[in-house]
Every structure is written in C-alpha cells, then in structure tokens.
C-alpha cells in the first residue's frame, strides 16, 4: 500500500496553466459539483490540522447567512515553515483564485488574506496582484473582493479562531469551540479559514481532477504537499513532494549523511529518531503510534553534532512566549516544562522529574484549550523519550 | 416555541436538558458538582482555567464543562481517573504560580483555590515555584482596593466584571504567554486609573488577589483610645448580609444582633445610616422639586434629569467617563457623608463633645465608600466627615476576632440620637429604593397625599431588570406646586454601571425623557455591593433584597419626612431643606477626571 | 506632539471607528511613530470608544506593536532553532559589537534598536533578521556589519 519512492510534484508553483482559465471554467460548474470534487480528492487542510477541505466548504455553504467570509491563513509562524511565503511570492494569483472558488461555493462576497507581520515586505507586490485579481472578478461577474489584513506578530494568531479574534480588534486568544468558524466566524458570520497552500490545491484539483490528485499519496493522505526543509541538510529549501513517503527515503534524499533525528511539523510536531526512520510515513493519520505523522510542512533535520536538549529548550522558550496565556495548562505548563528541563539539566531536580514532566505534558495535551497547548506534548515527549540521556548529562 | 431537548448521560445518569445547556449546568441539575474557577454565573463564559474538564466518550481531549453545550447522545464522565488526574495537575500548576501564604491571607477559608486544593489534596512540591523568579507587586495605592499579583490565577473574572457589568475596563489582560497578567493601563497605580472602586471585582475574585483595603486595625485602635468618642453607623444593606459572614444563610436579617455586637465591641455610640438616608431624601426631594420649578416656571437652563448621588462608584464613573454631565448629579452628599457632617456638628454640640475627639466609623456594603470618605472636599465641618470605613466583610472579621458568639446574641436597638430610621431609608439598600423613598416623600409634598400605590410599595421601580422606568401623574396638587398640575413625572432606575452608561449615552444624544434617575453602581444596588460577603450571585442578591423589603414593611414609619429625628434636626439645627446650613454641610461638588 | 496626535486621528479616520479596525490602526500609528506611547494608546481608545486599558491589553499582545520608544530602525534577529543552528548567536554578537549595545537597547544616536524575535520564515537561509520590514538572510558576522553600515549611509 505504501509507496517507497520520493516523488517530486509540480502543481503549486507550476506556471503551466494560467489560473484565470481554471477559475473561469470552475465558476461555471455547479457548487455541489465543486464540493464533491474536493471531497472525492481527499484534500485535507495543509495548515497542519488536516481537516477535509471539501467538508469545511460544504458546512459553510449549508449555513443560512447573507454574509459569509473567506479567510486565507497566511500567518505562517510554525518554526521551520516558510512555504506560504514562497507561494505568495511566486503564485499569489493562484491563492486568490482558490479564495474566489471558495467564495463562489459558500456564497461569500468578502475575503481577507491574513498576512503575518514578518511578511510585510510582500505587501506592495500583493497589492498589485489584488488589482489584477479584482479585475478578473469583474470579468467573471463574481462579486468578491479580497483585502489584506496584517497580523501584529503572534504565532497563536495562526490558530483560526484566534486569527478571527485578532481581526475583530481583540487579543488573539482562541475561542471556545463549538461554535466553529464555519458556523460563527468573523463578526459572528460563517467563515472558511484555509491555509495558503490548501487554497492553491483546490484550484489545482479543478484542473487535474479529483482522481488524478487522489492517485498521489497514500490512503488517508492523498495528493502532494509543499515541504519546508531546513536544519542540517545540504538542500534546504522548498519542495513539493507526494505524501506518504517514509522518513528514511526523505533522509536519504535530504540528509547530510549523519542525520540523527528529524523534527516533523515544527515545534508543535514530533521528533523522530534515526531508529524509527523506516517505519514512519509522512501523512495525516494518527501520531507516532500510527506510524504516520502529519505536518504543516516543516521538516527540520538534526545531525549528530546537535544537542537535542538545546533543540527542546529552544522550542520550549518559543512556546512559553507564544502561548496566548489564557488557559492554565498551557500558560503555566509551558513554563514548568521549560523550568523543569533546566532544573534537571543543572542537577537541581532528580532525573525522575522528567517522568513528572512527561505526565504533565500528557495533561496539557488533553486539557489545553487550543491546538498550541495540546501539541506541546508532541515535541516534548518525543524528544525526552528518545533522547533522555541528552536531557540529563 | 419550546426548545429542542437533548438526551445525554452524565456519570451513568440519563438526563434530558434543553438545547444550549452547558455540561456544567446539566451536571448540576443531576446534583453532580463539577469544580470551577473561571466560571461565574454573572459573567460570560471564559473556559480558561480548565479545572472543570470532563471526559466525553469519543473525544480524544477532555472538554471544559463550563464552555461545552450538551450534545445529543453524549456520554460524560465527570470523575474518571483521567479527569481527576488532569484536575490535580491543573490545580498544582495554578498553585505553582500562586503565593500560597494562606495563613496570612485575608481570604483564607473563603478562597476557591484553597478549597479545591484541599479537596484534591494537592502536593505543593510537585512543580517548581514560579514566583521565585518573578517580580510581583502588591498595589496598595488605592483607598479602596488592594491588588496582589502574586495571588492572581488569571481567571479573568475581574476583567469580565469590570468590562461586562461595569463597562469601566480599568483592569484588563496584558501581554501574552508567561508574561500574561491582569493589569491597569500601562500597569499604572490603581489610584491613578479609571477604577471606580466599586469592588465588584473583589466580589468575584476567587482568591485573595483583589481585596478591599482594610482598616480593621485602625478601628480597633480608635476604640481602644479613651480620649476618642467612636461612633459607628451601619448602612441599610449590611444588616441583611452580615449574617452570611457569621454562619447564617443568605437573606436573614440580623439587625438587632448586629447592634448588640457593635456595642459589645466597644463603640461609644451605635447609630444608623438610615437616619441620614432619610435626611438625603428630604434634601434631594426638595432639590428635585426646586429644579423642576426653575426649569418649568423660571425657564432657567437647569440640568435635568436629576441623577442621584449616593453611590460613590457611580460618582467616580461619571467623573471619569461623562465629565461634561456632572451638573445632572444631585449636589446632595451620600447618606454616609451627611451622617458624618451632622455627627461632627449637631451631634457633637448636643453631646457636648469636641468634634476633634469624634471618630466616625462606618460599616458599608461598599468599597467605594472608603474612597468617598477620603475625598478632599468631604470635610465641611472643618473635620473629615468620616474617618474610617469598613465593609460588611471586615465587620464580620471584627466580630469573629472579638470572640462574640453572634448567633446567641440578644437583639438591641440603635442608640439615640441619629438612630431612628424609616422603611424608606432601609430600602436605600436595593436598586430602586432611593427612587421609591424619594417618590414617597416628593409626591406627598406636592399633593399632600400618599403615593397612590398599595401599601406604599411602588412596585414599578422594584425588581432586577437593569433599567426600569415609571411615570407618576401629579394631579390635584397643593397650591404652592400648581405648576406641576397634570405633569407626568418620569423616572428611571438603573443599577450596574453598564446600565448607567446606557442611560448616560441617551442623555448625551439628548434623548432622555426622564426627570429623575436613580443610579446604583453595583448590580442589585448596595445589597450586591463590593463590600458584601463573598460569594454574591443572583440568588443571593434576590434573598438579600427580599429581606430588605421585609424590613421596610415591618417599620412603623415608612416615609423619610416623617422620621421624628429628622423633623427635630430641621427644627433645631438645619432650618429648612436646602437652607444655608444644609448647603454648607450636606451638599457637595464634583471633579472632572481623566479616563485612563 | 502635534504630529503624534494627528497620526492617531488620521489613522482612525482612514480605517474607521469600529473595533475591528483596531489592529490596523495600532499598526499604522506604530509605522509612523515607531512605537505607541501612553497618550497614543489612550487617544486611540477615546477615539474608538474603548477603554485605554483595553487598547493597551490588545496592543501588548502583539510582538511588533512596540510600546516603548525605539530607535529609527528596529533590528529583529531570529532566535528560533534553524537560525540558531546556523549561528544566530554569532550574528547577535557581531551586531552588539558593531552597535555597541545589548539586546533590547537602542544606540545612543537613536538609529537602531536591537531585538530578537521568533521564526521569521527564512529557516532555509538562516541566520536571518528583519530590519524594519526588510528581511536579510544568509547572514554572516561580516555581511551583517555591511548591512548596518548601509543604513548609516541612507
Ligand atoms: C497554534 C496554532 C498555530 C497555527 N498556525 C497556522 C498557520 O500559521 N497557518 C495555517 O494555515 N494554519 C495554522 N493553524 C491551523 C489553523 O487553526 C487552521 O486549522 C487552518 O488555518 C485551517 O486551514 P486548512 O484546513 O487549510 O489547513 C494553526 C493552529 C494552531 C493550533
Ligand atoms: S492552549 Fe495555550 S495558546 Fe491555546 S488557548 Fe490555552 S494558553 Fe492560549
Ligand atoms: S471553569 Fe471551565 S475552564 Fe474555568
């Protein structure tokens, strides 16, 4: 069932088809057909959470509301991820095309591109492209406009409800769910939030068809994905690859020959040690135990010169700062994990304390209010369990 | 339209609840208690403390019961091993950033965190103490409110209180991550910001992070000083809530026992703020009629509606946020201050005391009264009207400290002079009470007849609705008041500063149809004041309110202007309402303040 | 003082008083003034009908909305793992030496403030930094000094 080879794909950045043509034909299709195509394609959100895109659009389309919104999530803040920047730099029109498609399907007239503060340098370029895009919209008779919204510098604003809060002029603190954004999103109206890359794929699926998209990848993880590859690799950069590859194949291609571990999915993802490279696939289902790890695209390679303690420490500092701070498990938990590993390293706490911290991480996973606090345990546990000796000495 | 019903199972108990019911409420209806910290029934849902998490079959995370609506077919476990372990961890985390100096904490034995820590038997040693590396401040700059960061668990109840109930937003959440905390504008001193001192945040703080500034020691010192004549006055709302500090259920009236306790504690004179509440009514009633006359007869440009001025939180609110409308406020001092001014003049004279030897202590349901007593202008007699203010809670502490077995005390009556009260004064303690008392008096002045309501109960101004209004037609008026013949007197009552803001916004756009408006800073009026026993919630407010109205009905005299001591006060000292002495001692002016 | 005040008013006029425009307004004023002062914040609050403390609470949530005075140019050096592995500490040291300040400080001529930030999305070309909005990648202790010098020439 699983494919062995690493396969390069060229959908996202390809300039082969002009996307206005794809859009023009798609907008003539019935909405239901577009939703069905997306569902058939098996496309899942590329922002990290992996929610089926067709289903999300279907739910938003079903809501009865005069006002609906489409938001493109370009708050890319996960350490080690930079593909959305590249996509917006290279093929922004495709992203906007995906938004228009979504607007058409769900019945939205307004859209926003939520750009992280760090990508402000893209603004002049994007504004020009928006002009072109809005002319298309006139040509196709689609009443849809897109505005730029610039973030203020907060990783948590990548979380969709927190993103919406910040767009409403509030602190970017995640909301209680339900209701979900497709029911009550921006200004209380049904809202679809999609990742930059997801939006491009929706358009590409219109071009190549659901079957061809689904023919790529593995069960439950169809299609391809853009990976951001960094760390100890001679080939750092952005690559579009078929999903489902094993980490072993990945490391053979991108490693520097001395890869000790790979962090899949950034600070909130999992650290896979060398001994498990062969059994781990890159895809959506499950966590480490399911042998398949999802990722928003961040792949960081570490060779044997690296201290995994330093890596973990760096992540924990990141979380301690970037937690929104509203809920107890995450606000205090992140501080405790950080202080805890420091104390063990300095010998102030017995190494058994790592077990307490692992348990704490598990509690955070099930009690934190949003994905940030819930996923701290991913990197924490996978690093501490696999590199315990590095935590102590 | 009846709501859709939802079937679910909680701890093996099958139950059915209306759609939209939160798991927490659903559990409560089956007598299953789920612990909470950030949840407060007066406030919107936050779902941030996470101690209320429960396990739901089919979900791979636990869910916050306070923030999750019941869904069809849910199977909920509120006390599984996973849930217990998670709650213990969360509590241990909170404690790791909390100053656990319970033995020296004012809120000890009345602290929600302490209770839960005991219930879940938290081991304080599990996690690293995070306070060690941080700089924490205790803000004691305000006359009324103390803020101790080291005891804050960041549940944001105070923030929601200040925003939702009071629309003041003096406190808010700042920064994020580990640095997130509750603070004022740029972390300025509490005394320098828009805080109205209402103390509603104190009442909703689960721990000792927000407390009233205490004056218990100063009061004991004064009592112990033989050269001082220490007078205590008690506000109407204290008598229906003090019992809660001393082992009674909410809603029990303990007036007689309270008076006995105060005498045993050693106050030289135990008097009643009700007396000066009646005085306020007489003055304010006349002020209203005078303003109406100046407007309707003399065609003067006089500010109407007239607004009451007895709630010091409301006063500071309007000074900060609507400073252009201060002339709408009645110039009457609040009953507390009127009492003080009379005590240091008339009372001193009668008792042959030197006013400098008098210490005026007041027991108030309120924290803002502490600020009011310290306002620069409140010393028209040459001495501060009021010297020390304590809350209902502080009095509860004092009674406990003094070793009195409160429940066994006999009843006694207030001392004379200034101990006489009326039903009209008692109802000052609830929202609508001042209005009702004022109408009972003003209507009678104008028409010579009692207000046309059964049993003098002006029910339209009663109740818990945020803003209420009533109209009374003035007919067959006495000759002096002929200009009011046929006039429909329009009044409104609002409580909680969010409702006050709504009233003000209408005045600002020139669309306020009223002649007279009563505003109380706290939800429910003084019975729900920031100095009242904790907890205070809707049900408790209702019970205290009922107790107040019962007290009113039991009174022989129900109208302020019939208080014999007040009549005598005018005869012997003040002359006429709004007269010269009144103006000097009983009326005041207001200050424009900034809105930061 | 004048300029500062008009910056707030202009921004509020440009975006509108509705609360949803708060973040753009904060950013616009920060873009002009490089930071938001107490009076800016409370003026924004007054203009938009929000409490000062609340606007402060929102502003302090966001990393790039500076609330203390900054130099003319703000340097944000990425401190997250990929850049760290490629030597962001050396870059920081080179900057501290060149500018004669420590992290968090501003040069005495008011030209530069030196700060750190989390991942800025250039991990494959680390170490990386932003000077104001401009990203600089593949930094070395040598070329970072040239970059700084180019700002002095501007
Ligand atoms: C802490 C956190 C950070 C996130 N950051 C991003 C992000 O930077 N970009 C993104 O597209 N999604 C991010 N997400 C996921 C979003 O919440 C949301 O699921 C996503 O934007 C949906 O789009 P998709 O279905 O196309 O992936 C983040 C989630 C969490 C919990
Ligand atoms: S898990 Fe962290 S980031 Fe998410 S709501 Fe809680 S504190 Fe905020
Ligand atoms: S009570 Fe539910 S999260 Fe705090």
């Amino acid at each position: 069932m699983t494919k062995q080879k690493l396969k390069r794909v060229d959908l996202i950045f390809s300039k082969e088809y002009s996307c206005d043509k794809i859009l023009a034909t798609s907008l003539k299709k019935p909405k239901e057909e577009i939703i069905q195509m997306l569902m058939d394609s098996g496309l899942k959100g590329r922002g990290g959470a992996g929610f089926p895109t067709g289903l999300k659009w279907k739910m938003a389309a079903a809501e009865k509301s005069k006002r609906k919104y489409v938001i493109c999530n370009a708050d890319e803040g996960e350490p080690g991820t930079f593909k959305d920047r590249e996509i917006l730099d290279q093929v922004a029109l495709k992203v906007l095309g995906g938004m228009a498609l979504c607007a058409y399907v769900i019945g939205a007239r307004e859209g926003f591109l939520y750009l992280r503060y760090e990508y402000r340098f893209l603004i002049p370029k994007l504004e020009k492209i928006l002009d072109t895009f809005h002319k298309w919209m006139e040509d196709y008779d689609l009443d849809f406009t897109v505005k730029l919204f610039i973030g203020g510098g907060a990783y948590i604003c990548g979380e969709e409800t927190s993103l919406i809060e910040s767009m409403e002029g509030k602190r970017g603190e995640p909301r209680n769910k339900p209701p979900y954004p497709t029911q009550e999103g921006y200004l209380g109206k049904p809202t679809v939030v999609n990742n930059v890359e997801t939006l491009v794929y929706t358009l590409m699926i219109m071009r190549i068809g659901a079957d061809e998209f689904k023919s790529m990848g593995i069960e439950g993880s169809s299609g391809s994905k853009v990976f951001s590859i960094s760390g100890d690799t001679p080939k750092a950069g952005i690559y579009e690859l078929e999903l489902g590859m094993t980490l072993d194949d990945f490391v053979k291609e991108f490693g520097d020959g001395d890869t000790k571990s790979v962090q899949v999915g950034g600070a909130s993802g999992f650290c896979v040690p060398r001994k498990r490279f062969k059994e781990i696939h890159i895809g959506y289902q499950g966590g480490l135990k399911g042998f398949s790890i999802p990722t928003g695209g961040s792949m960081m390679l570490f060779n044997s010169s690296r201290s995994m303690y330093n890596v973990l420490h760096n992540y924990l500092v990141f979380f301690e700062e970037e937690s929104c701070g509203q809920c107890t498990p995450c606000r205090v938990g992140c501080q405790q994990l950080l202080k805890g590993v420091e104390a063990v390293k300095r010998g102030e706490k017995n190494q058994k304390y790592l077990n307490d911290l692992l348990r704490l991480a598990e509690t955070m996973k099930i009690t934190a209010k949003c994905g940030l606090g819930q996923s701290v345990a991913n990197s924490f546990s996978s690093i501490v369990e696999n590199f315990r000796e590095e935590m102590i000495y | 339209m009846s709501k859709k019903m939802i079937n679910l199972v909680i701890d093996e108990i099958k139950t059915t609840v209306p759609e939209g019911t939160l798991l927490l409420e659903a559990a409560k209806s089956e007598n299953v208690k789920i612990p909470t910290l950030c949840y407060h029934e007066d406030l919107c849902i936050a779902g941030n403390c996470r101690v209320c998490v429960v396990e739901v079959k089919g979900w791979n995370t636990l869910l916050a019961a306070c923030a999750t609506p019941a869904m069809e077919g849910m199977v909920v476990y509120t006390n599984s091993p996973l849930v217990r372990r998670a709650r213990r961890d969360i509590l241990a985390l909170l404690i790791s950033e909390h100053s656990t100096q319970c033995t020296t904490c004012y809120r000890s034995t009345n602290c929600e965190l302490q209770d839960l820590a005991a219930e879940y038997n938290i081991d304080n040693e599990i996690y690293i103490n995070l306070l060690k590396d941080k700089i924490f401040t205790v803000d004691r700059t305000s006359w009324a409110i103390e803020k101790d960061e080291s005891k804050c668990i960041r549940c944001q109840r105070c923030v929601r209180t200040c925003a939702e109930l009071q629309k003041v937003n003096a406190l808010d959440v700042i920064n994020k991550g580990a640095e997130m905390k509750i603070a004022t504008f740029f972390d300025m001193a509490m005394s320098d910001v828009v805080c109205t001192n209402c103390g509603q945040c104190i009442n909703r703080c689960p721990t000792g992070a927000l407390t009233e500034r205490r004056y218990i020691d100063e009061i004991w010192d004064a009592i112990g000083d033989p050269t001082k004549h220490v007078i205590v006055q008690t506000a109407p709302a204290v008598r229906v809530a003090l019992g809660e500090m001393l082992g009674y259920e909410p809603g029990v009236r303990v007036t007689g026992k309270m008076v006995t306790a105060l005498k045993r504690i050693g106050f030289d004179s135990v008097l009643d703020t009700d007396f000066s509440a009646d005085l306020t009514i007489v003055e304010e009633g006349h002020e209203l009629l005078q303003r109406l006359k100046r407007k309707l007869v003399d065609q003067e440009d006089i500010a109407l509606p007239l607004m009451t001025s007895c709630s010091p939180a409301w006063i500071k609110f309007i000074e900060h946020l609507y400073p252009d409308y201060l002339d709408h406020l009645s110039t009457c001092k609040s009953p507390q201050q009127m009492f003080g001014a009379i005590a240091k003049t008339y009372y001193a004279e009668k008792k042959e005391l030197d006013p400098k030897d008098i210490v005026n202590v007041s027991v108030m349901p309120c924290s803002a009264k502490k600020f009011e007593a310290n306002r620069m202008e409140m010393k028209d007699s040459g001495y501060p009207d009021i010297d020390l203010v304590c809350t209902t809670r502080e009095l509860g502490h004092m009674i406990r400290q003094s070793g009195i077995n409160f429940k066994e005390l006999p009843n006694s009556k207030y001392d004379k002079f200034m101990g006489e009260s009326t039903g009209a004064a008692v109802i000052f303690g609830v929202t609508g009470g001042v209005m009702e008392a004022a109408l009972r008096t003003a209507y009678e002045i104008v028409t010579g007849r009692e207000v046309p309501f059964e049993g003098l109960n002006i029910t339209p101004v009663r109740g818990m609705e945020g803003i209420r209004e009533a109209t009374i037609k003035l007919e067959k008026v006495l000759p002096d008041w002929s200009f009011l013949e046929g006039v429909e007197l329009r009044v409104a009552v609002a409580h909680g500063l969010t409702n006050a803001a709504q009233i003000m916004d209408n005045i600002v756009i020139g669309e306020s149809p009223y002649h007279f408006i009563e505003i109380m800073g706290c939800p429910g009026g003084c019975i729900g004041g920031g100095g009242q026993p904790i907890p205070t919630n809707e049900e408790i407010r209702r019970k205290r309110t009922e107790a107040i109205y019962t007290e009113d009905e039991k009174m022989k005299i129900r109208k302020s202007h019939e208080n014999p001591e007040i009549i005598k006060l005018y005869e012997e000292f003040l002359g006429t309402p709004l007269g010269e002495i009144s103006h000097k001692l009983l009326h005041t002016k207001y200050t424009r303040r900034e809105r930061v | 003082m004048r300029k500062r005040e008009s910056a707030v008013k202009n921004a509020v006029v440009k975006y509108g008083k509705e609360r949803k425009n708060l973040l753009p307004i904060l950013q616009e004023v920060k873009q002009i003034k490089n930071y938001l002062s107490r009076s800016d914040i409370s003026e924004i609050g007054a203009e938009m009908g929000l409490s000062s403390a609340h606007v402060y609470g929102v502003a302090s949530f966001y990393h790039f909305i500076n609330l203390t005075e900054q130099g003319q140019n703000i340097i944000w050096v990425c401190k997250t793992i990929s850049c760290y592995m490629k030597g962001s500490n050396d870059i920081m040291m080179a900057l501290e030496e060149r500018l004669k300040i420590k992290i968090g400080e501003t040069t005495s001529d008011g030209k530069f403030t030196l700060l750190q930030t989390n991942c800025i999305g250039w991990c494959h070309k680390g170490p990386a930094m932003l000077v104001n909005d401009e990203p600089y990648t593949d930094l070395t202790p040598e070329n970072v000094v040239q970059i700084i010098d180019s700002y002095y020439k501007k």
Side-chain angles (χ1 to χ4, degrees), chain A residues 45-47 56 73 75-77 158-160 193-195 198 371-372:
Chain A
R46 298 305 198 227
K56 190 183 278 187
N73 186 345
D75 194 47
E76 184 167 63
E159 197 278 342
E160 53 191 3
V193 182
N194 269 136
N195 176 252
T198 313
L372 190 154

Side-chain angles (χ1 to χ4, degrees), chain A residues 75 77-79 116 118 152-159 162 171-174 267 314-326 330-331 334-335 338 370-373 376, chain B residues 175-180, chain C residues 60-64 76 79-80 116-120:
Chain A
D75 194 47
E78 187 65 53
R116 72 186 300 219
E118 292 86 336
Y155 164 65
I156 187 60
C157 287
E159 197 278 342
S162 151
R171 297 166 55 80
E173 292 176 355
N314 190 282
Y315 292 160
L316 290 173
V317 169
F318 174 81
F319 284 126
E320 191 210 41
E321 289 174 8
E322 295 294 344
S323 152
C324 82
Q326 68 164 318
C330 176
R331 177 188 68 251
C334 290
Q335 295 177 64
L338 175 61
C370 83
L372 190 154
V376 174
Chain B
N175 302 337
K176 66 168 178 286
E179 304 287 315
M180 175 273 206
Chain C
S60 66
F61 188 86
Y62 299 98
H63 196 62
F64 291 96
W76 305 91
K79 65 174 187 205
T80 304
Q116 284 184 314
T117 189
N118 286 320
C119 185
I120 57 170

Side-chain angles (χ1 to χ4, degrees), chain A residues 62-360:
Chain A
E63 290 288 327
K64 286 186 187 61
S65 169
K66 281 215 187 82
R67 269 175 189 270
K68 295 182 187 179
Y69 298 98
V70 182
I71 297 174
C72 169
N73 186 345
D75 194 47
E76 184 167 63
E78 187 65 53
T81 318
F82 40 92
K83 46 119 189 155
D84 292 342
R85 171 182 51 70
E86 196 70 13
I87 296 172
L88 285 168
D89 203 4
Q90 305 283 329
V91 289
L93 266 174
K94 286 191 179 176
V95 179
L96 296 171
M99 290 179 77
L101 189 67
C102 178
Y104 165 69
V105 168
I106 70 165
R109 293 206 303 267
E110 276 180 87
F112 295 93
L113 193 143
Y114 189 104
L115 188 71
R116 72 186 300 219
Y117 184 96
E118 292 86 336
Y119 296 166
R120 280 184 67 91
F121 72 97
L122 286 172
I123 295 175
K125 188 168 186 176
L126 289 175
E127 275 173 348
K128 262 198 216 118
I129 295 174
L130 276 172
D131 287 344
T132 313
F133 173 74
H134 288 137
K135 281 200 200 89
W136 283 9
M137 290 298 99
E138 271 171 38
D139 293 348
Y140 303 150
D141 220 11
L142 188 68
D143 180 8
F144 181 60
T145 52
V146 174
K147 288 202 190 92
L148 281 182
F149 192 98
I150 312 299
Y155 164 65
I156 187 60
C157 287
E159 197 278 342
E160 53 191 3
T161 60
S162 151
L163 178 149
I164 289 170
E165 288 281 296
S166 82
M167 284 183 57
E168 292 181 358
K170 303 179 192 151
R171 297 166 55 80
E173 292 176 355
R175 294 176 177 174
N176 290 305
K177 284 155 268 189
Y180 295 92
T182 47
Q183 306 164 290
E184 288 175 35
Y186 181 56
L187 304 177
K189 304 293 176 211
T191 303
V192 165
V193 182
N194 269 136
N195 176 252
V196 174
E197 181 186 344
T198 313
L199 288 164
V200 179
Y201 275 124
T202 61
L203 207 59
M204 292 303 107
I205 289 165
M206 295 303 114
R207 187 193 108 190
I208 63 172
D211 289 343
E212 190 175 334
F213 188 80
K214 199 167 181 157
S215 72
M216 294 187 289
I218 55 169
E219 181 75 34
S221 307
S222 50
S224 50
K225 158 123 207 46
V226 182
F227 290 90
S228 311
I229 298 166
S230 68
D232 294 317
T233 163
K235 297 185 186 169
I238 289 161
Y239 299 85
E240 187 175 3
L241 303 169
E242 195 173 332
L243 279 170
M245 62 196 164
T246 66
L247 257 186
D248 202 44
D249 288 338
F250 175 84
V251 171
K252 278 198 188 112
E253 171 91 20
F254 292 99
D256 62 358
D258 185 24
T259 306
K260 158 161 101 173
S261 63
V262 180
Q263 180 78 17
V264 183
S268 60
F270 293 87
C271 179
V272 185
R274 185 183 293 150
K275 63 175 188 283
R276 304 199 63 195
F277 285 170
K278 281 205 163 66
E279 60 191 66
I280 302 288
H281 297 262
I282 305 303
Y284 283 103
Q285 283 154 346
L288 262 182
K289 293 191 194 81
F291 296 111
S292 157
I293 305 181
T295 168
S298 168
M299 303 292 276
M300 292 190 275
L301 295 92
F302 304 112
N303 67 23
S304 53
S305 73
R306 303 295 172 186
S307 149
M308 293 313 288
Y309 172 82
N310 284 350
V311 172
L312 178 61
H313 191 272
N314 190 282
Y315 292 160
L316 290 173
V317 169
F318 174 81
F319 284 126
E320 191 210 41
E321 289 174 8
E322 295 294 344
S323 152
C324 82
Q326 68 164 318
C327 80
T328 314
C330 176
R331 177 188 68 251
V332 196
C334 290
Q335 295 177 64
Q336 287 293 352
L337 294 180
L338 175 61
K339 289 249 156 44
V341 293
E342 285 174 353
V344 170
K345 190 78 177 178
R346 283 198 299 262
E348 289 163 14
K349 282 267 185 191
N350 188 306
Q351 57 158 296
K352 282 203 209 104
Y353 190 53
L354 289 175
N355 299 341
D356 291 331
L357 295 180
L358 285 168
R359 205 205 51 210
L360 171 60

